[in-house]
Amino acid sequence: MKAVILAAGVGSRLRPLTDTVPKALVPVGGATILARELAAFARAGVAEAIVVAGYRAAALRAAVRGAPLPVTVVENPRYETTQNIASLMCARDALDGAGFFQIDGDVLFDDAVLARLGATDAPVALAVDSLRALDDEAMKAVFAPGPGRRVARLGKELPPGAGAAAGLGESIGLARIGAAAAPRLFTAMAELLAEGGDQLYYESAYQRLIDAGLPFDAVEVGDLRWMEIDDHDDLRRAAALFA
């Protein structure tokens, strides 16, 4: 199992901290976001991490020297003009067909999140918090009716109350993509990019696979610590939560 960390973005809402480093290298309680992510993957026994860089890529390359697991850095040369679907696509060759954990480069989480994602045998498992109140910025997951928690729809554009009867949660930006599902995911992303979808989130490719019948399990993590760090308020909360 490998891991892909998407760390190409500028992180403009964290300026001036990100004037000279990417968001993933902003410190939280004495360690950078990236260092915390890499340490968690190492503790989980992940064989290799692939970091997708863009903004201030040289700083990322320097930061991963001496990491607690092997790290390959690849670059999205179009990071300034594309969304994260293009960044994830840049990791395809380095993955070499392996299953992988996929995470945004601004997410902190308890180790137990990875354990829960690894415990399901679904082709794709998404870490979802159905306990937190949702806002317009949340990547929302609507659950299909029936036993278990299968994801039926994903999107930021869904209103916070959408799908309440079937269940609703926030996809936290961390998923496990099984080895059998990985080629299908990259095919879906390639199709979307060929159709001019370089401004899409990778969740658009998820949705294409869900619509094609590939099971996506929603793994509840609302009882565990996690934080997506977008701005300075988030950074303060994360420092308290992960002190």
Side-chain angles (χ1 to χ4, degrees):
M1 198 73 175
K2 298 186 179 184
V4 174
I5 300 173
L6 302 179
V10 174
S12 59
R13 284 187 280 178
L14 279 174
R15 283 180 169 145
L17 297 176
T18 53
D19 283 346
T20 56
V21 296
K23 187 197 295 189
L25 296 186
V26 169
V28 179
T32 67
I33 301 169
L34 179 62
R36 288 175 174 271
E37 290 181 337
L38 291 172
F41 286 127
R43 290 191 294 267
V46 169
E48 178 189 3
I50 296 144
V51 177
V52 183
Y55 175 69
R56 302 291 183 180
L60 273 172
R61 290 185 182 277
V64 300
R65 295 176 191 142
L69 75 170
V71 178
T72 298
V73 178
V74 299
E75 292 191 37
N76 174 7
R78 299 176 58 223
Y79 73 91
E80 290 183 291
T81 58
T82 59
Q83 255 298 348
N84 61 19
I85 188 171
S87 289
L88 181 53
M89 196 69 189
C90 294
R92 178 175 57 180
D93 291 345
L95 282 166
D96 195 26
F100 61 101
F101 290 105
Q102 176 193 322
I103 187 169
D104 296 336
D106 59 359
V107 177
L108 297 183
F109 57 93
D110 277 339
D111 286 5
V113 175
L114 297 181
R116 290 185 186 179
L117 289 174
T120 174
D121 59 0
V124 181
L126 301 183
V128 173
D129 184 344
S130 65
L131 306 180
R132 181 178 296 196
L134 300 178
D135 57 26
D136 290 339
E137 283 291 306
M139 180 58 68
K140 302 165 193 71
V142 179
F143 310 136
R149 271 195 173 175
R150 288 284 164 84
V151 178
R153 294 180 65 199
L154 280 166
K156 282 191 175 185
E157 74 282 358
L158 301 172
L168 186 71
E170 178 174 357
S171 179
I172 76 167
L174 176 54
R176 180 191 56 76
I177 315 296
R184 295 184 62 179
L185 174 60
F186 284 105
T187 296
M189 290 194 298
E191 291 171 351
L192 288 166
L193 288 167
E195 294 163 10
D198 60 6
Q199 299 304 309
L200 297 173
Y201 296 109
Y202 55 73
E203 282 88 359
S204 295
Y206 286 0
Q207 188 66 58
R208 181 163 288 198
L209 295 181
I210 291 168
D211 293 342
L214 186 68
F216 276 58
D217 270 9
V219 175
E220 181 61 58
V221 299
D223 59 322
L224 301 174
R225 293 181 304 168
W226 73 273
M227 176 66 70
E228 179 185 14
I229 300 171
D230 285 327
D231 55 31
H232 288 273
D233 287 338
D234 292 340
L235 188 61
R236 284 188 285 270
R237 287 193 292 269
L241 189 62
F242 288 92

